[in-house]
């Protein structure tokens, strides 16, 4: 009797594709370079096309993917589409040269345009940063090749008329609006998209300096792919020797943590109860001081109205007023120059003046028992382990070890939700690491009851820490959601934070064993819903309510303890 061969499911195929992507990326990093059109580049491309991540929409189809293109361009340096050579480096001192750093709008990383053909990207946040960049570049190369395949005819000896007309427009000095509209028509044909879709993405990408940014991106993506096909001039990605040598050695994390511990020591705060919060650089400060700082401007407003006003970049005066009050009442801002790209704030509650803070201490609290709140900006993937692991180590002064009196560690983050919508809340009871059976259960001081009655959906359960948000697809997420893992969402840092906290509290004993742990996430997207992925745009003011609700609950628990 013939044995029946069980077919692999889409979830299993997708899991294998993710594994292949990461193994290939690590191999390329060790090797030191690769060509996107070579064997290794094709392996990355094929794995991405099997995976078909939600964030990249129609990447596996013939037509161009526009929302995914915007998502990627916001996370890569301006002008990268023009570069044939992309070099990933460590922090190697480019900031001391005449070169001006280019910082992508949605990712804090320093990039340097070396010349017309080369872009250097500094990697200071570990392997997660490399995976992120290589995945986005692979997407760009896929889209670039689509253009080349559509415009090359006669066995690569000629190009279609639409391409020639686009080239003509882009290379023209003076440009009329009517000519621009004609260029949109030709571009729509090249991309397999409608005129309306092309106009829409043009409007999203145009800036004051670069009105035709979208058309330029299409031109350069096509130009380099066509040249690669017709002249053999290959695009190349290299990893600098110093980056390969330094990776995994916590160089930036150690420098970052040392600065913070020295600042705490200089302020005499090492022995005071320290509460670490991983969040943004505004919600804790605003929660502590905004209502009192802006009592004249918002005499009868609810806190949420004040926070929404503060979240607008137009209200700089309001933001300055809150910051000034915070600095007069014990807030110390540490600007990060370690290369970790994580700014920090220290709030010494013993210096809070009367009527400054919006929260009350328990009665009878002694000065040396008043909490010190240390806020760190969001880490990125594996960087969470590097930074917290280094921070929780004792500070060495003249051979003596000074331990931090850490009372609690709270992590507030954005995550993809698997049942609900943007702005809803997830309270994890465990983190599991994607692609492994590694799991980290813990007692969360926060629970769903803390957040009820505010019109937001609150889920409790397991969170998956993924290797990169840009590699998720519906099949894997459905499996996680519907299986006994009881997964409610996905994010990138949870496992890494928890690994560092557990080793410090339970193995190394550098902090107390019963340190309080708090995790809460709000939904930035629902990757299981079409049109609700990260590529569909930001949260806008939808994120204000959950951000401040989580911050409020964390601060109340800190002050109550």
């Amino acid at each position: 009797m013939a044995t029946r061969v069980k077919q692999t499911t889409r979830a299993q195929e997708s899991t294998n594709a993710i594994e292949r992507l990461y193994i290939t990326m690590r191999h390329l990093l060790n090797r030191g370079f690769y060509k996107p059109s070579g064997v290794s580049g094709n392996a990355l491309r094929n794995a991405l096309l099997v995976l078909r991540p939600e964030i990249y929409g129609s990447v596996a189809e013939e037509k161009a993917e526009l929302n995914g293109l915007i998502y990627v361009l916001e996370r890569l340096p301006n002008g990268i589409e023009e570069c044939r050579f992309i070099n990933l480096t460590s922090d190697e001192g480019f900031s001391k040269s005449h070169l001006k750093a280019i910082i992508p709008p949605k990712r804090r990383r320093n990039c340097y345009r070396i010349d017309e053909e080369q872009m250097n990207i500094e990697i200071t946040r570990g392997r997660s940063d490399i995976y992120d960049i290589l995945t986005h570049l692979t997407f760009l190369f896929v889209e670039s090749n689509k253009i080349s395949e559509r415009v090359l005819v006669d066995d690569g000896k000629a190009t279609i008329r639409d391409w020639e007309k686009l080239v003509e427009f882009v290379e023209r000095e003076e440009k009329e609006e009517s000519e621009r509209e004609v260029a949109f028509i030709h571009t729509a044909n090249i991309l397999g998209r409608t005129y309306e879709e092309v106009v829409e993405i043009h409007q999203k990408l145009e800036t004051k300096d670069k009105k035709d940014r979208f058309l330029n991106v299409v031109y350069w993506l096509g130009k380099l792919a066509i040249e690669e096909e017709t002249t053999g001039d290959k695009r190349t990605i290299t990893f600098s020797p110093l980056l390969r040598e330094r990776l995994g050695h916590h160089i930036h994390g150690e420098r970052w943590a040392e600065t913070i511990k020295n600042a705490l020591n200089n302020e005499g705060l090492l022995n005071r109860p320290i509460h670490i919060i991983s969040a943004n650089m505004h919600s804790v400060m605003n929660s502590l001081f905004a209502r009192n700082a802006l009592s004249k401007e918002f005499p009868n407003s609810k806190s949420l109205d004040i926070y929404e006003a503060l979240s607008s970049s137009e209200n700089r005066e309001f933001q300055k007023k809150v910051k000034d009050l915070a600095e007069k009442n014990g807030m110390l801002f540490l600007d990060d120059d370690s290369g970790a790209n994580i700014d920090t704030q220290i709030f010494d509650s013993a210096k809070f003046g009367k009527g400054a803070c919006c929260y009350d201490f328990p009665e009878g609290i002694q000065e040396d028992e008043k909490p010190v709140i240390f806020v760190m900006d969001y880490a990125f993937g594996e960087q969470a382990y590097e930074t917290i692991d280094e921070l929780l180590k004792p500070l060495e002064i003249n051979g003596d070890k000074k331990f931090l009196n850490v009372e609690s560690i709270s992590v507030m983050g954005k995550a993809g939700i698997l049942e609900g919508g943007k702005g809803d809340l997830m309270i994890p009871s465990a983190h599991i690491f994607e692609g492994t059976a590694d799991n980290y259960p813990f007692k969360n001081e926060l629970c769903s009851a803390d957040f009820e009655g505010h019109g937001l959906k609150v889920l409790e359960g397991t969170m998956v820490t993924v290797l990169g948000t840009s590699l998720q697809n519906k099949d894997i997420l459905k499996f996680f959601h519907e299986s006994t893992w009881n997964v409610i969402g996905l994010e990138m840092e949870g496992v890494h934070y928890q690994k560092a906290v557990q080793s410090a509290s339970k193995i190394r004993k550098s902090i107390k064993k019963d340190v309080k742990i708090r995790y809460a996430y709000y939904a930035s997207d629902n990757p299981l819903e079409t049109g609700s992925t990260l590529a569909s745009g930001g949260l806008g003011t939808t994120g204000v309510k959950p951000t401040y609700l989580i911050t409020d609950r964390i601060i109340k628990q800190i002050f109550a303890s």
Side-chain angles (χ1 to χ4, degrees):
M1 183 178 162
T3 47
R4 194 170 155 212
V5 180
K6 192 179 176 188
Q7 294 294 308
T8 54
T9 64
R10 267 291 295 149
Q12 287 166 328
E13 283 175 9
S14 303
T15 304
N16 290 341
I18 287 180
E19 206 170 304
R20 283 204 308 279
L21 273 163
Y22 282 104
I23 289 168
T24 307
M25 286 180 194
R26 290 188 87 138
H27 160 70
L28 297 176
L29 180 62
N30 291 334
R31 182 178 159 202
F33 76 97
Y34 77 99
K35 291 181 166 58
S37 60
V39 175
S40 302
N42 281 328
L44 285 181
R45 183 184 296 128
N46 293 338
L48 194 73
L49 294 175
V50 168
L51 190 59
R52 299 198 292 279
E54 300 312 309
I55 223 160
Y56 296 148
S58 59
V59 67
E61 298 172 28
E62 272 188 39
K63 63 182 179 182
E65 166 52 34
L66 301 183
N67 282 334
L69 184 64
I70 288 182
Y71 180 83
V72 164
L73 290 175
E74 286 177 338
R75 285 154 180 81
L76 291 174
N78 205 337
I80 195 160
E81 69 281 352
E82 302 171 15
C83 296
R84 184 172 276 115
F85 302 100
I86 295 160
N87 191 16
L88 305 193
T89 73
S90 177
D91 177 358
E92 299 175 18
F94 301 122
S95 59
K96 294 181 175 68
S97 72
H98 71 282
L99 299 166
K100 194 173 183 298
I102 306 167
I103 301 168
K106 295 285 176 78
R107 281 277 186 272
R108 277 181 64 181
R109 45 172 73 112
N110 291 334
C111 311
Y112 298 91
R113 185 76 179 262
I114 305 301
D115 54 37
E116 283 182 12
E117 291 193 307
Q118 184 179 334
M119 180 75 76
N120 281 14
I121 303 176
E122 268 184 13
I123 305 291
T124 58
R125 300 192 290 182
R127 286 190 186 90
S128 298
D129 223 5
I130 295 174
Y131 298 152
D132 192 56
I133 290 165
L134 291 190
T135 311
H136 293 332
L137 287 176
T138 303
F139 167 84
L140 271 191
F141 296 138
V142 168
E143 293 300 314
S144 168
N145 285 353
K146 282 185 196 174
I147 297 169
S148 163
E149 283 166 12
R150 287 181 80 97
V151 305
L152 281 175
V153 289
D154 295 338
D155 294 331
K157 295 190 179 91
T159 52
I160 60 173
R161 183 172 181 273
D162 291 300
W163 177 254
E164 287 160 14
K165 290 294 176 187
L166 173 63
V167 171
E168 201 179 294
F169 174 80
V170 168
E171 291 178 350
R172 193 176 295 155
E173 288 291 325
E174 298 295 321
K175 296 169 185 178
E176 299 291 328
E177 190 58 39
S178 58
E179 294 170 333
R180 185 170 287 110
E181 288 178 356
V182 172
F184 291 154
I185 294 169
H186 292 301
T187 305
N189 201 33
I190 292 165
L191 301 179
R193 289 287 188 171
T194 66
Y195 171 79
E196 200 174 9
E197 287 171 322
V198 167
V199 171
E200 191 184 333
I201 190 171
H202 161 78
Q203 289 167 349
K204 284 180 181 173
L205 278 176
E206 74 174 327
T207 61
K208 281 181 185 175
D209 305 334
K210 295 192 171 183
K211 184 165 176 62
D212 293 310
R213 188 174 173 214
F214 173 59
L215 295 176
N216 289 331
V217 166
V218 173
Y219 164 78
W220 279 103
L221 287 178
K223 184 178 191 289
L224 293 186
I226 290 166
E227 285 175 3
E228 199 162 85
E229 197 64 38
T230 55
T231 68
D233 288 342
K234 306 285 187 191
R235 288 167 287 188
T236 307
I237 294 171
T238 53
F239 307 90
S240 80
L242 206 57
L243 172 66
R244 289 152 65 205
E245 182 189 314
R246 284 177 170 180
L247 209 62
H249 288 286
H250 291 201
I251 286 166
H252 301 288
E254 190 177 349
R255 207 183 291 159
W256 175 84
E258 204 74 14
T259 304
I260 291 151
K261 286 183 279 194
N262 282 324
L264 288 167
N265 186 49
N266 294 340
E267 298 290 321
L269 303 175
L270 281 184
N271 296 323
R272 292 262 301 282
I274 297 169
H275 299 266
I276 297 168
I277 303 177
S278 170
N280 49 55
M281 285 286 99
H282 54 78
S283 59
V284 174
M285 178 176 72
N286 290 346
S287 297
L288 289 171
F289 299 107
R291 268 178 304 152
N292 292 344
L294 302 173
S295 56
K296 286 180 185 172
E297 290 84 349
F298 296 90
N300 304 311
S301 294
K302 293 177 184 172
S303 299
L304 196 60
D305 297 332
I306 300 171
Y307 300 145
E308 283 187 354
L310 284 166
S311 71
S312 169
S313 55
E314 292 168 15
N315 293 325
R316 294 263 163 83
E317 277 303 306
F318 293 165
Q319 293 160 2
K320 186 178 183 307
K321 239 183 149 179
V322 177
K323 193 178 178 192
D324 288 348
L325 182 66
E327 285 175 340
K328 281 177 193 163
N329 288 273
M331 182 187 90
L332 182 64
F333 177 77
L334 302 178
D335 197 2
D336 176 45
D337 59 2
S338 68
N341 278 324
I342 300 177
D343 291 335
T344 50
Q345 297 160 325
I346 298 168
F347 296 89
D348 180 0
S349 66
K351 291 182 179 172
F352 289 178
K354 196 174 180 187
C357 180
C358 305
Y359 292 83
D360 296 319
F361 291 113
E363 281 184 34
I365 187 168
Q366 302 294 318
E367 287 296 296
D368 61 355
E369 291 173 356
K370 287 184 176 176
V372 172
I373 298 173
F374 168 76
V375 182
M376 58 182 280
D377 210 344
Y378 298 117
F380 186 72
E382 284 184 14
Q383 190 191 30
Y385 175 74
E386 178 178 330
T387 46
I388 292 290
D389 183 57
E390 292 296 334
L391 184 63
L392 299 181
K393 287 176 184 175
L395 177 66
E396 288 205 21
I397 301 171
N398 301 325
D400 292 334
K401 287 185 177 180
K402 286 196 174 187
F403 292 86
L404 277 70
N405 181 19
V406 179
E407 288 284 332
S408 76
I409 297 166
S410 306
V411 176
M412 174 180 78
K414 288 186 284 192
I417 199 166
L418 301 186
E419 186 186 316
K422 291 187 178 186
D424 287 340
L425 300 174
M426 290 155 278
I427 313 299
S429 52
H431 286 108
I432 59 175
F433 199 18
E434 178 187 49
T436 71
D438 296 358
N439 52 83
Y440 297 81
F442 52 88
K443 182 188 181 300
N444 195 341
E445 296 295 317
L446 298 169
C447 65
S448 57
D450 294 326
F451 301 96
E452 280 165 6
H454 293 272
L456 297 171
K457 188 170 190 168
V458 189
L459 300 175
E460 265 188 274
T462 310
M463 299 281 288
V464 174
T465 297
V466 297
L467 293 154
T469 50
S470 52
L471 290 180
Q472 302 317 302
N473 73 358
K474 284 183 181 173
D475 306 290
I476 293 178
L477 300 179
K478 272 181 186 164
F479 165 75
F480 274 135
H481 186 46
E482 292 165 7
S483 71
T484 51
W485 283 109
N486 182 32
V487 168
I488 56 171
L490 58 139
E491 48 74 55
M492 277 186 70
E493 289 81 28
V495 156
H496 305 298
Y497 279 124
Q498 194 55 28
K499 191 163 61 169
V501 173
Q502 282 182 198
S503 65
S505 59
K506 294 184 167 54
I507 300 168
R508 291 176 165 178
K509 309 284 174 38
S510 57
I511 60 170
K512 55 182 69 174
K513 193 177 179 181
D514 58 350
V515 62
K516 287 184 163 55
I517 307 292
R518 302 181 192 92
Y519 285 94
Y521 299 90
Y522 61 93
S524 54
D525 64 304
N526 183 335
L528 287 179
E529 282 182 16
T530 305
S532 295
T533 66
L534 279 171
S536 65
L539 277 158
T541 54
T542 314
V544 174
K545 187 175 183 179
T547 298
Y548 284 94
L549 186 57
I550 293 169
T551 309
D552 175 70
R553 295 303 181 265
I554 290 171
I555 294 174
K556 276 180 177 165
Q557 285 198 8
I558 289 171
F559 277 55
S561 65

